[in-house]
Amino acid sequence: MTYYVTTPIYYVNDAPHLGHAYTTLAADVLARWHRRRGEDVWFLTGTDEHGQKILRTAEANGVGPKEWADRLVHESWQPLWEHLEIANDDFIRTTQQRHTDRVREFVQDLHDRGEIYKDSYEGPYCVDCEEFKLPGELLDGEGEYAGQKLCAIHKKPVELLKEENYFFRLSAYTDRLLAHYEAHPGFIQPESARNEVVNFVRQGLQDLSISRSTFDWGVKVPWDDAHVIYVWVDALLNYATAVGYNEDPEKFGSTFPADVHLVGKDILRFHAVIWPAMLMANGLPLPGRIAANGWLLVGGEKMSKSNLTGIKPQDLTAHFGVDAYRWYFLRAIAFGQDGSFSWEDFSARYTSELANDYGNLASRVTAMVGRYFDGVLPAATADGEAERAVREGLARAVAEADRRIGEELDFQGGILAVLDFVKQVNGYLTEQQPWKVAKDPSEKAAARLATILYTAAESLRAVAVLLEPVMPGTSGKLWESLGAEASLGALVDQRIQEAGEWGRLPAGATVTKGAVLFPRLP
């Protein structure tokens, strides 16, 4: 079976910001990690291109919605993912026929099963959320919005809509959803998010309006072309349509459902309530896990276009580099919790952990192999207690990183397990002082020097494998400087399990001091 991981599909009302990149990076690292385990992986991302919000944005820019979506996808979204080295297997757009045809079939099937009926509805609607809101979910407006009700997420006035729409019998799935949550306590993560969803569903679900008739930018309801399918029903189905629903039974059977849906916490209910209910109604299996990441905060507020102060992902990568960017957000913020971003914190962590700890270790080791052994990795023939401690430290790091990243989605904890091992190796060199041992001309000292440098180089080999899912470019440079590609093969072929197998880097490998992995910041 395929390990299937997804991101949300993102609205193309504007260019991607740091929050979009955060979720996508987490999914990319998870997918890369499972590939390094030797598993068959399918990683999906894409764009959500229907709905009233997209229509209004396109109109405000004087173009049609499809032209607007094409522009944003080709000029902003896909180029950024390429720039950040996102290794997705597929990129789905909800305007593609492979998607729209299957959406109509899915909804028709629900209709044929008696799960859909027609009725009228009146209520407050947030266009940015594309969602009807309950009274308890609204805020009282102040200042320019005094006297109006606001969406609690977007802090914008909601609109009062009254329409005759088609409804999905979501209320009928209250008990089945609660039973699934109880039987599968890890279905929604983190625990705080699970509790929020469970409490929401326990209050009783209302039937869901699944069509709109006041605009036509969307997938037509198959039996009534005066209506378009609700954008969230359309969007959620991408996880099925992208892997062959009603089109490629073999691929669909081996891939669906997703093992992990990674989502922002503001869209958790759609994924943890509406999506599984739709699948239940259509007799399809439910995903293994829905993991909600927290918000990126700026000045204590949710990161958005209005408070980004002009920061784009490219602004950070131009200053820190792509790999450091990939590393920072997953290392600095515990996945599932809100986390604050600042240039100062990024700079401090970059200098301390990447440049001083990791980069300096690589520079010192490769330089000493060059100075003392003419760039040829020596054999370790004088192992002792110190080397045994390093080997044990590596075994712990591999096991902990694999558990935290591969199973628990604790990216921060997994990265820190590897960085702790880097610190251990730095401490090992400080204690063993190979630069002093090199001054002793005896054969015993020469064997000891060779053992110290082999131990450090072999440790770096393992670190390159462990950090490849997080920093693929840097790991590739280190791998090449260790001469590992010539002696062990390409880095992308290495397995996480093999990272802890001591002695894989053979004596005699040609070690070179390459470019500084993490240059000093300007």
Side-chain angles (χ1 to χ4, degrees), residues 165-176:
N165 295 333
Y166 289 97
F167 286 77
F168 167 56
R169 300 183 190 278
L170 180 63
S171 61
Y173 291 88
T174 300
D175 291 340
R176 286 185 63 181

Side-chain angles (χ1 to χ4, degrees), residues 56-111:
R56 289 185 178 180
T57 302
E59 290 173 343
N61 284 273
V63 298
K66 183 61 165 62
E67 181 182 350
W68 176 257
D70 288 345
R71 179 190 305 175
L72 265 291
V73 168
H74 296 311
E75 296 180 4
S76 297
W77 289 89
Q78 288 180 328
L80 178 61
W81 297 160
E82 292 172 6
H83 175 64
L84 295 179
E85 298 192 42
I86 304 300
N88 52 293
D89 296 287
D90 193 6
F91 187 100
I92 190 165
R93 301 178 58 185
T94 57
T95 52
Q96 293 172 330
Q97 188 173 352
R98 64 167 172 154
H99 175 74
T100 58
D101 286 353
R102 304 291 86 76
V103 169
R104 287 167 58 86
E105 292 167 2
F106 186 98
V107 172
Q108 181 68 60
D109 193 29
L110 286 184
H111 182 265

Side-chain angles (χ1 to χ4, degrees), residues 189-310:
Q189 295 180 349
E191 184 71 16
S192 58
R194 178 184 184 279
N195 293 338
E196 177 186 324
V197 170
V198 170
N199 291 335
F200 173 76
V201 175
R202 278 178 178 161
Q203 296 172 20
L205 297 174
Q206 296 183 348
D207 288 348
L208 176 71
S209 172
I210 65 157
S211 74
R212 299 291 306 278
S213 58
T214 55
F215 62 90
D216 64 357
W217 179 237
V219 181
K220 297 288 187 182
V221 170
W223 62 89
D224 187 346
D225 62 9
H227 290 250
V228 294
I229 295 169
Y230 175 43
V231 65
W232 267 105
V233 173
D234 169 5
L236 288 165
L237 283 168
N238 91 91
Y239 305 128
T241 62
V243 292
Y245 169 74
N246 266 15
E247 187 173 23
D248 186 342
E250 183 177 351
K251 182 175 180 59
F252 189 72
S254 65
T255 308
F256 192 85
D259 291 87
V260 182
H261 288 309
L262 296 183
V263 302
K265 69 177 183 179
D266 51 335
I267 58 173
L268 176 61
R269 286 185 192 172
F270 297 102
H271 288 81
V273 179
I274 297 174
W275 177 227
M278 288 167 53
L279 294 173
M280 288 175 175
N282 228 327
L284 293 173
L286 272 58
R289 180 165 28 173
I290 300 167
N293 60 259
W295 287 339
L296 294 185
L297 305 177
V298 175
E301 295 187 4
K302 178 179 182 286
M303 186 171 284
S304 66
K305 292 183 292 295
S306 61
N307 64 12
L308 270 177
T309 61

Side-chain angles (χ1 to χ4, degrees), residues 399-419:
E400 184 171 0
D402 192 33
R403 173 175 57 84
R404 289 186 178 272
I405 295 176
E407 301 299 331
E408 300 173 3
L409 311 188
D410 179 5
F411 303 100
Q412 182 187 65
I415 291 170
L416 288 177
V418 182
L419 292 181

